[in-house]
Amino acid sequence: MLAADQSKTFTLGNRTVNRSGYGAMQLAGPGVFGPPKDRDAALSVLQEAVASGVNHIDTSDFYGPHVTNRLIREALAPYPDDLVIVTKIGARRDNEGSWLPALSPEALTTAVHDNLRNLGLDVLEVVNLRIMLNPHGPAEGSIEAPLTVLAELQRRGLVRHIGLSNVTPAQVAEGRRICEIACVQNHYNLAHRTDDPLIDELARDGIAYVPFFPLGGFTPLQSSILSEVAARLNATPMQVALAWLFRRAPNILLIPGTSSIAHLRENLAAAELKLPPDAITALARIAVSSTR
Ligand SMILES: NC(=O)c1ccc[n+]([C@@H]2O[C@H](COP(=O)([O-])OP(=O)(O)OC[C@H]3O[C@@H](n4cnc5c(N)ncnc54)[C@H](OP(=O)(O)O)[C@@H]3O)[C@@H](O)[C@H]2O)c1
């Protein structure tokens, strides 16, 4: 189950990225809504991430909305040649910051253009179609209609590669029959392992799996086992959680989100942390069975 291959890079679309990336969602204001509390700090986090070797940044124009993409552009444009910015479409925010599905052809087309404009790009390297059929997580249902729209935007040259987010294995299979899928971005971490079989299947086919909430999300992971293992390894619990993901499969790309430079440094250092076999055995006990 745990891969021996600890390669530090992976091919996403047709670009090689470092498996230690960065998720930009935490840069917007509270609740991923409005401007950041500390704008200069947000710009510094992005600049330090790239200066430290991050060449894969995950974002969306519905973070803020528009705020996170504009910060990325301000902090990093003109972009380094090796930087891959991955965005997602399929949701929108209302005036109170609620997250609503936005999967109509018009909404998807507008979202691609919003991302292009706010990021200052002519083409988006990877766009994840974020499926929201149920507020509580992935739910079965055909994704053919919105994915066909995104594939058409790709054919028009606005999008280079397509990924899927918040999807079931059946939807991934359906998506792969419609167009080439470069990556899948779903909720997965040490304690939430519904996607174990899907990760292995995608690894066999060379498709990236990008866990969102790798640290547990809005409520970061807390576990006495995690704390004990971390203390033994002279690391932090979040570093152990990331090191475990890094080792879990070679196609896993890390996009931990943080608005803090100290946390960014800590998270990037996790790629160097080696987990001995007894730590891996202990950490396996954290997994809770969850059903879809
Ligand atoms: N496709 C989707 O539906 C979807 C959904 C959610 C997220 N995402 C993407 O996935 C990325 C990662 O998810 P996420 O940011 O929601 O959750 P996450 O990475 O699991 O956790 C982020 C939380 O952990 C804290 N944190 C980060 N590093 C830490 C450290 N070293 N020590 C202690 N606390 C730490 C952050 O606070 P600080 O800011 O204080 O560090 C924040 O509260 C996002 O940035 C976004 O790009 C995608």
Side-chain angles (χ1 to χ4, degrees), residues 22-27 32 37 45 57-60 62-63 68 86 88 91 99 128-132 164-166 184-189 210-221 236-239 242 245 254-268:
Y22 172 71
M25 188 174 91
Q26 304 296 336
L27 294 182
V32 198
K37 268 186 292 206
V45 167
I57 294 180
D58 187 80
T59 185
S60 174
F62 50 73
Y63 296 161
T68 301
V86 177
K88 64 189 79 68
W99 306 76
N128 285 317
L129 178 65
R130 209 284 183 192
I131 300 294
M132 199 188 281
L164 296 173
S165 179
N166 201 44
V184 172
Q185 184 175 119
N186 274 0
H187 183 180
Y188 182 84
N189 57 47
V210 188
F212 74 72
F213 294 161
L215 300 174
F218 294 103
T219 314
L221 293 167
T236 69
M238 296 300 114
Q239 286 179 315
L242 292 174
L245 283 172
L254 302 184
I255 51 162
T258 182
S259 53
S260 140
I261 287 212
H263 286 167
L264 173 75
R265 289 178 183 153
E266 194 180 310
N267 297 345
L268 292 176

Side-chain angles (χ1 to χ4, degrees), residues 12-76:
L12 175 57
N14 59 0
R15 303 277 295 275
T16 300
V17 293
N18 293 324
R19 291 177 58 210
S20 282
Y22 172 71
M25 188 174 91
Q26 304 296 336
L27 294 182
V32 198
F33 198 55
K37 268 186 292 206
D38 184 340
R39 189 187 152 66
D40 289 342
L43 296 171
S44 301
V45 167
L46 285 161
Q47 285 158 349
E48 170 133 353
V50 169
S52 307
V54 166
N55 58 10
H56 169 212
I57 294 180
D58 187 80
T59 185
S60 174
D61 209 54
F62 50 73
Y63 296 161
H66 315 302
V67 170
T68 301
N69 278 350
R70 288 174 184 162
L71 286 169
I72 290 173
R73 180 181 186 170
E74 183 177 343
L76 302 177

Side-chain angles (χ1 to χ4, degrees), residues 108-222:
L108 295 172
T109 305
T110 300
V112 162
H113 285 285
D114 285 349
N115 275 283
L116 286 167
R117 188 179 60 257
N118 286 317
L119 287 168
L121 292 169
D122 297 326
V123 52
L124 300 170
E125 188 64 31
V126 183
V127 175
N128 285 317
L129 178 65
R130 209 284 183 192
I131 300 294
M132 199 188 281
L133 302 179
N134 170 338
H136 307 297
E140 296 298 355
S142 175
I143 61 169
E144 181 178 357
L147 188 55
T148 303
V149 174
L150 183 52
E152 172 58 20
L153 293 164
Q154 180 186 41
R155 206 188 55 73
R156 284 170 46 197
L158 301 177
V159 171
R160 239 175 235 124
H161 299 282
I162 292 176
L164 296 173
S165 179
N166 201 44
V167 281
T168 67
Q171 288 165 335
V172 173
E174 183 190 21
R176 293 180 68 186
R177 289 192 294 271
I178 295 169
C179 62
E180 195 172 325
I181 299 298
C183 51
V184 172
Q185 184 175 119
N186 274 0
H187 183 180
Y188 182 84
N189 57 47
L190 251 178
H192 186 97
R193 297 184 50 183
T194 315
D195 271 351
D196 272 331
L198 178 63
I199 291 171
D200 295 333
E201 179 193 322
L202 297 176
R204 280 192 297 272
D205 293 346
I207 296 174
Y209 182 90
V210 188
F212 74 72
F213 294 161
L215 300 174
F218 294 103
T219 314
L221 293 167
Q222 286 187 346

